[in-house]
Amino acid sequence: MAGKLEVERKYELPTDFALPALTGVGGVESVGEADELRLDAVYYDTPGLRLARGRVTLRRRSGGHDAGWHLKRPSGGERSELQVPGSEDRAEPPGEITGQVRALTRGEDLQPVARIRTHRFERPLRDAGGSTVALVADDTVTTESLFGSRPVQRWRELEVELVDGAREALDELDAALRAAGARPSASPSKLAQALGDDYPAAPAGDGDGGSAGRRALADYLRAQRDAIVEHDPGVRDGDVEAVHKMRVGTRRLRRTLRSFASVLPADADLDRLHDEVKWLTGLLGAVRDRDVIGDHLAALVAGEPPELVLGPVADLIRERLAERRAAAREELIAGLDSDRYTRLLTDIDALVGRVVGPDGRIGRSRLRRLARKALRRADRRLAMALRTPEPPGDGAPPPGQPTRDERLHEARKAYKRARYAAELIEPFAGRPAGSPADRLTDLQDVLGAHQDSLVTGELLRDYAVRAHADGDNAFTYGLLHARQDEHGRQALSRLGKARRRARRAAVRLFG
């Protein structure tokens, strides 16, 4: 349920403002007749204005060409708008809307907080071909706060929304309107003006100013929390990139809770919080892994000569992975709709608030030591893995002893933790080319390629066994299995170089 990107500019107008002639500006060849509209919108939020704190607005509007529910969210430097038709007999937001904002509302009820009436004169600005470059709306706005006791307000403003024109056209129109006396609006939205002092201040960007270490830790934790909340709607919509980014946010959060536990609030239940974040990471990973393996196997099959692909191998792989992904996605969405998820977000909020708070100082040197400790742990695990001999033939390791491949996988996870720790402390020294986080990513990718070859190989083996049991030809699965085995060996051949480069970069950071 992706929203359309809204690119617009808003302006305050002097009492004697007159719209200037805009023909010849930004590719505009003609200005259409004004369409008079009377819009009546009720804005919704939680009792604590959680949507407004996230700079999200939700309204139910009547009148105009797009009556219904409008959900607007920040999207880069612009805003994304989702529209859902409304019904006359239903005043509460529909499920399509409430699900999209659940990560912000934390399950709290949405209620009317303001009513805004707009008397609009809207003119299309058209190019030589008749396409609409932009819409110019001259609005007289009347607002009534339903949240506090703020009096009714009335003002005039201008809004220019890009339609089919280029962004450069918007810049040219902006210059012409400013020259005529219009000024960029000082208020972020009509709702902000309607609520006045009740409208939440912009979220704090920094921790307390007295401790650089605390500020870095707070900023890093906050960034991961915000990544989870920001990508929640995309995950619900099935956006594969949103699933990936939200999963990365949960992974970074988990590793930070472990690497820097000793400087986090002593009375916080970090073990429980870690386990809850791990639960969410697992739900996301079950979906993400199917996406990655599916793309990888499709490329593998497509890369083989047609004469070596015996049977509908690509179709069978795609169907089987799709079944597993659908089940994993169903479980993920159920998790996002659960009280467990909203409690987790609330607990993360509480932890971030504690770290941002004024109590205590966290020295940069201590964070460096903890990050260095995470890296040393990863180095030890890799050294142990490389000392572990591979069992001859199909032999197994002694009972209770991890295999070499299992130890390499543990080393990979340890380097991921070290990489995130390095990311957190790098602001102290900037991010030079070849920084530890980048080099640890390279090292982690080498180990990841080896692990992926094992996981994919095991899946191909299962498919081969299933094909044989069904009386189908299993040749291609065996061939792809062999290719994956070789791919894993080639990845490990790059391990030494990646390890040396990571060590050199670590020296520059840690000294």
Side-chain angles (χ1 to χ4, degrees), residues 58 168 463:
L58 171 62
E168 292 78 11
Y463 287 166

Side-chain angles (χ1 to χ4, degrees), residues 8 10-11 13 35-43 59-66 70 72 114-123 136-144 152-161 189-191 193-194:
E8 65 181 18
K10 293 180 183 291
Y11 302 89
L13 303 178
D35 188 8
E36 183 177 5
L37 304 170
R38 293 188 180 273
L39 311 174
D40 190 348
V42 176
Y43 284 72
R59 70 188 179 205
R60 184 177 186 270
R61 189 161 78 182
S62 60
H65 311 298
D66 54 359
H70 296 212
K72 294 187 178 185
R115 184 174 187 181
I116 299 179
R117 298 178 179 89
T118 303
H119 186 192
R120 170 170 292 180
F121 290 91
E122 186 176 78
R123 296 173 175 83
V136 177
D138 190 338
D139 293 341
T140 299
V141 184
T142 304
T143 69
E144 176 187 358
V152 172
Q153 298 181 83
R154 184 181 176 91
W155 72 86
R156 184 183 174 205
E157 69 178 30
L158 197 71
E159 179 181 299
V160 182
E161 181 177 357
S189 65
K190 292 182 177 69
L191 178 62
Q193 288 183 259

Side-chain angles (χ1 to χ4, degrees), residues 252-488:
R252 284 182 167 132
L253 184 57
R254 275 185 63 203
R255 300 313 196 272
T256 303
L257 292 175
R258 283 293 187 247
S259 297
F260 299 98
S262 64
V263 294
L264 291 171
D267 58 346
D269 192 350
L270 297 181
D271 287 338
R272 185 191 61 80
L273 183 56
H274 174 273
D275 290 345
E276 291 300 282
V277 177
K278 182 179 180 180
W279 162 74
L280 179 57
T281 305
L283 294 179
L284 293 161
V287 175
R288 174 63 180 170
D289 289 344
R290 269 69 176 181
D291 292 332
V292 173
I293 291 176
D295 291 343
H296 181 55
L297 287 178
L300 282 179
V301 176
E304 294 294 333
E307 63 270 16
L308 297 182
V309 181
L310 306 183
V313 175
D315 291 340
L316 288 173
I317 291 175
R318 183 170 56 252
E319 290 171 6
R320 289 166 183 168
L321 284 174
E323 291 175 2
R324 296 172 65 178
R325 186 189 188 281
R329 174 166 169 73
E330 184 177 345
E331 187 175 356
L332 171 59
I333 298 304
L336 297 183
D337 287 339
S338 69
D339 292 339
R340 183 178 182 179
Y341 175 60
T342 54
R343 284 196 301 270
L344 170 59
L345 294 177
T346 300
D347 290 344
I348 297 172
D349 286 343
L351 178 65
V352 171
R354 294 283 302 282
V355 175
V356 171
D359 298 333
R361 297 176 61 85
I362 301 173
R364 290 181 292 183
S365 60
R366 189 172 184 187
L367 292 185
R368 284 178 184 267
R369 287 195 299 272
L370 292 172
R372 188 185 298 114
K373 181 179 178 181
L375 181 57
R376 287 173 176 168
R377 180 187 300 111
D379 286 339
R380 288 195 301 269
R381 291 192 177 183
L382 180 56
M384 181 180 294
L386 295 178
R387 289 196 301 269
T388 303
E390 294 187 76
D394 293 330
Q401 293 295 317
T403 65
R404 184 170 185 263
D405 288 337
E406 288 171 341
R407 291 189 188 278
L408 286 171
H409 182 45
E410 290 303 311
R412 176 202 181 193
K413 291 191 291 185
Y415 276 117
K416 187 174 294 185
R417 178 170 163 177
R419 165 194 162 194
Y420 297 148
E423 283 180 351
L424 191 152
I425 69 167
E426 278 182 344
F428 301 155
R431 284 185 60 89
S435 62
D438 295 332
R439 294 309 183 203
L440 288 171
T441 299
D442 296 340
L443 178 54
Q444 173 192 316
D445 287 346
V446 168
L447 293 168
H450 173 259
Q451 176 64 18
D452 290 347
S453 72
L454 296 176
V455 173
T456 306
E458 186 63 26
L459 186 63
L460 288 167
R461 181 184 179 280
D462 290 344
Y463 287 166
V465 170
R466 185 170 174 178
H468 179 74
D470 293 342
D472 296 329
N473 195 314
F475 169 81
T476 303
Y477 298 109
L479 175 65
L480 295 177
H481 185 283
R483 303 272 200 241
Q484 283 302 283
D485 185 66
E486 178 59 26
H487 179 71

Side-chain angles (χ1 to χ4, degrees), residues 66-118:
D66 54 359
W69 294 91
H70 296 212
L71 176 65
K72 294 187 178 185
R73 295 186 294 245
S75 179
E78 310 297 345
R79 289 171 70 79
S80 174
E81 181 176 9
L82 171 67
Q83 297 182 12
V84 176
S87 59
E88 295 294 332
D89 58 346
R90 181 173 182 176
E92 67 274 9
E96 302 98 306
I97 293 290
T98 56
Q100 290 282 302
V101 296
R102 184 176 174 82
L104 285 173
T105 65
R106 305 292 199 266
E108 292 184 18
D109 290 336
L110 292 164
Q111 62 184 33
V113 296
R115 184 174 187 181
I116 299 179
R117 298 178 179 89
T118 303

